[in-house]
């Protein structure tokens, strides 16, 4: 029975979505019933909506605590794009801005306030919150990234600890804590530290159904394999490498192959890093080549593929890093390259660690990664098993399930292996057991007198690798266990005994060389829709640039795809597409409809040759920018250039902005009166590099976004040179 039958209607109206993701409805219902909540969902699961929708349906202000300024700004921007009154308070604002925003809150004009923890619990802010509570009410506290309260999490922040103040001061206000960290220890810590009262705990599955997992054994020419993957996709991708040097080399190679790529690693300046990251988020550049330091704080839902060109540190990092793909729920691909040369390098690095305990753990973690990579069972079964979640296999969306290797009955060998574990009293790891099976004459075996065992030497006919494969498969299938103390000691369980008693047969997959075929759109019908999709993407990028926001904030990939498939003819039809809410319908409906109509009229239209230019090359002006530049040099105004080129003035502004950034000689005095430039410049000096909307708030309506954008581009370039 539905408690709140209209929730879907509100979801559609405000956010444009037709359905809730798993768990969202239940969580929202609990929030509406004023329960304290502990929400654990994987990245991309849709946590934000769980407090955003209740915020709109409840009386009063919802206060969202968030640790990162960039994420805060992103979320507020995305909400505003849906016409939802939201704002943030953090250290990037000046006193004047803070006061304006606080006034808006006091006047009940804001539904969601994002705030940094240290500001929230400050002596200045808490009394203000008291007044808010009296005057308009507080609907909820939402604590995002709640694992930050826990020293056991991976991102402890002391200022989160003080959030327990909130429950004491506002005992009647319910709290929603949200995190993607699943361990029991962290969970218990969050509940205790935040003082949650009898919280409803929602633990979503960590299975990310839309992600395709695959492993490729690095061939002699791994770069070619990588290039193939990059070329099979049109959307954004991340490629992880182990070292800075490799990042730089790979970026260079890709750029040479005309792939729009930029590097990201600790060797770059802060400024360069954040610039590259922004270009990636805004789809100015398609590929980010990065060391593993990249990505955790970024909000880009439309990453279509993540490649680990080198092995990840451990399975948990692999899950999180590959999980950056497909946060919007669209099909996306996660590829891991396995190279035994890398293993040697990593083992060497581990050997350099001073602490032997640390070495041991690192070695075990590496072993698990290799097991995953070599594994022949469903990738999800292995990954989720690592988080303690049982997954039955047959996911239909990993290489091992789609291209299963031939299966072989190996009950007899499994019995030999398991009884050898038993004879050795469950005190050794896999290598030792294999040595015994193969009758190795190593000293340890002789000393332990294990050469006297009946299982000694009964497995000579199989190679070490073959035995390893069997042992690991037994582990993955749960027919054998191993300790997690760093020693990986093999232990028998009830199922192992069933095998030894011949009550259960065992089969394992035999690895073969395989060729995975990844094609986002391989049918010819899809190919046609793809042409329209190109055009819609270009339009989206253009609108995004006009507003200075990332393209995904205009419409998500899935919504563009629906437009291309359904080809709506009226605004009404357009409004029915998933992802089109009331506000976006009124803002962008006409323009997208017009693009679709144009396409239909001109069915023979080709993929625009300059589509790839959406991803501009990094240093040099693109062809279209150069054309604009030529006209500018001849003394034409922006309006005139736009008319001449049949482009929108905002597009021309965008060209000029890029030209400035790329150090081309543009004299702003030809475009904007000096007095106005000065005013904008002054504001930038005070406020720094913040989004355009607040800058314009300060300058007043008489200033256009175009003027601000141009001066800002100039200002940024000068800052960089200084
Ligand atoms: P998380 O914080 O859990 O990583 P987000 O809240 O950022 O995830 O949501 C991930 C993406 O999923 C966002 O782009 C969001 O707009 C989208 N999303 C959330 N809920 C839904 C839904 N019910 N239907 C479609 N898309 C959704
Ligand atoms: Zn599978």
């Amino acid at each position: 029975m539905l408690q709140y039958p209209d929730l879907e209607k509100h979801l559609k109206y405000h956010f444009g979505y037709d359905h809730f993701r798993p768990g969202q409805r239940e969580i929202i219902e609990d929030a509406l019933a004023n329960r304290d909540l502990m929400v654990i969902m994987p990245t991309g699961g849709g946590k934000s909506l769980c407090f955003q929708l209740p915020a709109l349906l409840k009386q009063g202000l919802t206060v969202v605590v968030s640790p990162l300024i960039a994420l805060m700004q992103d979320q507020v921007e995305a909400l505003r794009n849906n016409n939802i009154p939201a704002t943030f308070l953090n250290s990037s604002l000046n006193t004047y801005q803070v006061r304006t925003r606080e006034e808006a809150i006091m006047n009940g004009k804001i539904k969601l306030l994002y705030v940094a923890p240290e500001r929230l619990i400050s002596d200045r802010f808490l009394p203000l919150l008291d007044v808010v509570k009296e005057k308009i009410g507080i609907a909820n506290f939402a604590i995002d990234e709640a694992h930050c309260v826990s020293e056991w999490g991976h991102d402890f922040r002391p200022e989160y600890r003080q959030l327990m103040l909130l429950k004491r001061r506002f005992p009647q206000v319910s709290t929603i804590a949200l995190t993607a960290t699943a361990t029991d220890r962290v969970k218990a810590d969050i509940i205790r530290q935040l003082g949650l009262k009898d919280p409803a705990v929602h633990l979503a599955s960590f299975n990310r159904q839309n992600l395709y997992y695959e492993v490729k054994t690095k061939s002699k020419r791994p770069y070619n394999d990588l290039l193939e993957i990059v070329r099979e996709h049109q959307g954004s991708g991340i490629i992880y490498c182990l070292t800075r040097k490799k990042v730089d080399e790979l970026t260079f190679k890709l750029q040479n192959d005309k792939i729009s790529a930029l590097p990201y690693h600790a060797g770059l300046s802060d400024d360069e890093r954040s610039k590259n990251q922004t270009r990636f988020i805004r789809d100015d550049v398609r590929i980010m080549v990065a060391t593993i330091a990249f990505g955790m704080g970024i909000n880009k839902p439309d990453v279509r593929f993540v490649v680990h060109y080198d092995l990840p540190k451990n399975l948990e990092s692999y899950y999180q890093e590959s999980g950056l793909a497909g946060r919007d729920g669209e099909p996306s691909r996660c590829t891991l390259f396995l190279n035994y040369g890398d293993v040697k390098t990593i083992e060497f690095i581990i050997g350099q660690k001073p602490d032997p305990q640390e070495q041991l753990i690192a070695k075990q973690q590496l072993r698990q990664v290799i097991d995953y990579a070599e594994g022949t069972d469903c990738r999800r079964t292995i990954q989720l098993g690592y988080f303690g979640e049982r997954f039955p296999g047959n996911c239909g969306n990993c290489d091992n399930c789609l291209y299963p290797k031939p299966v072989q009955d190996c009950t007899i060998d499994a019995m030999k292996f398991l009884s050898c574990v038993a004879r050795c009293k469950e005190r050794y790891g896999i290598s030792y057991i294999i040595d015994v099976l193969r009758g190795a004459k190593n000293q340890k075996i002789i000393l332990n007198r294990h050469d006297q065992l009946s299982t000694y030497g009964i497995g000579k006919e199989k190679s070490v690798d073959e035995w390893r494969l069997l042992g690991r498969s037994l582990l993955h299938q749960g027919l054998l266990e191993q300790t997690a103390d760093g020693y990986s000691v093999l232990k028998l369980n009830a199922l192992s005994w069933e095998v030894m008693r011949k009550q259960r047969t065992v089969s394992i997959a035999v690895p073969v060389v395989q060729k995975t075929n990844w094609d986002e759109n391989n049918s010819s019908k899809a190919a046609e829709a793809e042409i329209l999709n190109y055009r819609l993407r270009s339009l989206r990028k253009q609108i995004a640039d006009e507003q200075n926001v990332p393209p995904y904030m205009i419409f998500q990939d899935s919504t563009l795809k629906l437009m291309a498939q359904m080809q709506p003819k009226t605004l009404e039809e357009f409004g029915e597409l998933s992802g089109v809410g009331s506000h976006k319908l009124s803002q962008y409906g006409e323009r997208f409809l017009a693009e679709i109509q144009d396409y239909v009229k001109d069915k023979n239209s080709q993929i625009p040759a300059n589509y790839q230019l959406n991803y501009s090359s990094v240093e040099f002006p693109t062809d279209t920018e150069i054309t604009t530049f030529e006209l500018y040099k001849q003394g034409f105004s922006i309006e005139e250039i736009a008319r001449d080129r049949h482009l929108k003035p905002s597009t021309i502004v965008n060209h000029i902005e890029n030209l400035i950034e790329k150090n081309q000689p543009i004299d702003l005095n030809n475009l904007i009166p000096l007095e106005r430039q000065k005013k904008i410049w002054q504001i930038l000096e005070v406020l720094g590099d913040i989004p355009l909307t607040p800058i314009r708030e300060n300058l007043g309506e008489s200033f256009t976004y175009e003027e601000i954008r141009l001066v800002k581009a100039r200002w940024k370039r000068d800052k960089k040179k200084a």
Side-chain angles (χ1 to χ4, degrees), residues 117 121 149 157-166 193-194:
I121 46 104
V149 302
R157 291 169 191 257
E159 60 284 7
Y160 258 67
R161 272 289 156 87
Q162 305 187 39
L163 290 173
M164 52 169 58
L165 258 168
L166 290 178
Q193 296 287 346
L194 294 177

Side-chain angles (χ1 to χ4, degrees), residues 606-619:
Q606 299 291 317
I607 297 171
N610 66 347
Y611 173 70
Q612 284 298 333
L613 289 181
N614 274 346
Y615 299 113
S616 50
S617 72
V618 181
E619 299 299 343

Side-chain angles (χ1 to χ4, degrees), residues 217-421:
T217 308
K218 260 193 197 170
S219 63
K220 290 242 159 52
R221 305 175 68 192
Y223 176 73
N224 289 21
D225 296 344
L226 179 72
L227 204 56
E228 205 173 296
I229 294 178
V230 170
R231 288 189 169 141
E232 272 166 5
H233 295 262
Q234 287 128 20
S236 308
I238 302 173
I239 302 169
Y240 284 114
C241 300
L242 205 59
T243 63
R244 294 176 200 180
K245 187 161 158 270
K246 263 181 125 171
V247 167
D248 285 335
E249 280 170 12
L250 201 55
T251 312
F252 182 73
K253 272 184 171 169
L254 288 167
Q255 286 174 349
N256 257 341
D257 279 313
K258 306 259 178 304
I259 305 280
S260 156
L262 280 175
Y264 187 101
H265 57 66
L268 303 171
S269 69
D270 287 353
D271 187 50
E272 238 169 330
R273 270 206 309 270
S274 85
K275 206 174 113 211
N276 290 358
Q277 177 168 316
T278 306
R279 298 191 73 119
F280 180 61
I281 292 173
R282 307 232 155 161
D283 287 352
D284 289 326
V285 64
R286 186 160 83 91
I287 310 284
M288 196 83 321
V289 187
T291 50
I292 43 183
F294 173 74
M296 288 308 136
I298 76 158
N299 194 4
K300 182 166 174 58
D302 49 3
V303 174
R304 292 279 75 92
F305 65 97
V306 173
V307 175
H308 280 74
Y309 199 55
D310 293 323
L311 287 178
K313 216 169 54 218
N314 54 47
L315 270 190
E316 159 114 46
S317 341
Y318 183 64
Y319 176 85
Q320 301 291 357
E321 286 153 16
S322 61
L324 288 173
R327 291 178 61 169
D328 54 8
E330 287 293 289
S332 307
R333 176 189 198 174
C334 307
T335 311
L336 182 109
F337 277 83
L338 171 65
N339 176 1
Y340 290 95
D342 293 349
V343 175
K344 294 258 148 43
T345 316
I346 299 175
E347 274 170 350
F348 176 77
I349 298 173
I350 293 174
Q352 308 286 301
K353 285 181 192 277
D355 178 1
Q357 182 62 21
E358 240 179 78
Q359 277 194 23
L360 210 58
I361 292 173
K363 263 192 215 149
Q364 184 176 15
Q365 290 183 332
L366 175 63
R367 191 69 249 166
Q368 285 167 330
V369 171
I370 298 169
D371 284 359
Y372 169 80
E374 289 180 334
T376 48
D377 303 308
C378 172
R379 305 270 178 217
R380 284 183 161 71
T381 305
I382 309 178
Q383 273 192 30
L384 294 171
Y386 185 77
F387 294 109
E389 196 177 323
R390 278 254 167 232
F391 185 80
N394 267 326
C395 74
N397 200 19
C398 78
D399 52 355
N400 286 345
C401 287
L402 283 185
Y403 310 98
K405 291 128 197 166
V407 186
Q408 202 174 44
D409 180 87
C410 58
T411 311
I412 303 292
D413 288 330
M415 286 167 69
K416 288 184 188 170
F417 191 97
L418 293 171
S419 51
C420 189
V421 174

